[in-house]
Amino acid sequence: TPFRPEPSGFDSGVLSGNVLYFAHPVFSIYRAYGAVILKQHVVRAIRRLLGEEVQIRTNLPSQGRVTLMRQPTRRRTVLHLLYADTILRGGGTSPITGDPVPSIEVVEELNPLSGVTASVKLTEPVRRVTLEPQGREIAFTVHDGRIEIGLEQLQCHQMVVFHHGGDAGPEAR
């Protein structure tokens, strides 16, 4: 359709209560064509569904991945930060069989990232924060109920451990 800055009257998605409907298979379309504007649309819609109070915020680029794991027996929460530049390889037609060859994303080198920040909303107070497996304590701040940390450098993977309550012993490291 022609570009129009005003709303068209046709919805590309609908939010009804706690259910979000998209008019198109947005995840498959993004996977196939990589339309960044579609990704931005989906992110905005999901944020509207979840509200702006997301549990984890970070400045990692889009190739970055974060997971948060609660370990109640060890009285800690572990944030995993991952980052690697991927590059598309393969695709086209096999020179041997003539069959289609799928393209794949590979990691050829692990480039370090500088100045990575993360902000996490946790339900328990944090006594200290360490980088693991290094066992090195790092500074953190608490702002509006969020624990905020910064890393000088991230290369591939880093565990950030938020320690709650008393010391759970050396096995907690």
Side-chain angles (χ1 to χ4, degrees):
T1 60
F3 171 76
R4 291 184 0 195
E6 64 276 354
S8 69
F10 297 98
D11 292 329
S12 62
V14 175
L15 178 60
S16 177
N18 64 353
V19 178
L20 178 60
Y21 298 94
F22 289 106
H24 307 285
V26 291
F27 300 105
S28 298
I29 293 170
Y30 179 70
R31 171 86 172 128
Y33 300 103
V36 175
I37 191 74
L38 180 60
K39 175 186 171 187
Q40 293 168 346
H41 170 66
V42 169
V43 167
R44 281 194 307 270
I46 290 172
R47 285 215 171 114
R48 186 162 180 198
L49 171 69
L50 298 176
E52 286 302 315
E53 193 52 46
V54 293
Q55 189 171 18
I56 305 169
R57 295 180 188 148
T58 182
N59 66 343
L60 282 175
S62 60
Q63 300 97 326
R65 300 291 179 262
V66 297
T67 58
L68 193 64
M69 181 176 58
R70 182 82 179 99
Q71 296 179 326
T73 58
R74 293 186 169 190
R75 297 164 53 168
R76 68 185 193 174
T77 302
V78 181
L79 175 68
H80 290 269
L81 299 168
L82 295 122
Y83 173 78
D85 284 317
T86 57
I87 191 162
L88 202 55
R89 293 286 185 234
T93 306
S94 167
I96 299 167
T97 65
D99 295 330
V101 176
S103 57
I104 59 170
E105 288 182 306
V106 297
V107 176
E108 291 189 355
E109 47 208 19
L110 295 173
N111 298 316
L113 253 174
S114 300
V116 174
T117 61
S119 170
V120 182
K121 179 98 172 170
L122 299 174
T123 56
E124 292 182 62
V126 171
R127 187 173 47 83
R128 63 190 185 102
V129 178
T130 58
L131 300 180
E132 299 299 340
Q134 301 94 319
R136 183 166 57 93
E137 200 160 320
I138 63 168
F140 69 95
T141 59
V142 180
H143 187 261
D144 289 334
R146 303 184 69 84
I147 312 303
E148 298 179 353
I149 59 110
L151 302 177
E152 290 178 24
Q153 186 173 316
L154 170 67
Q155 187 166 11
C156 189
H157 173 252
Q158 181 63 65
M159 287 189 301
V160 180
V161 179
F162 301 95
H163 300 268
H164 310 290
D167 197 358
E171 68 282 354
R173 287 203 174 176

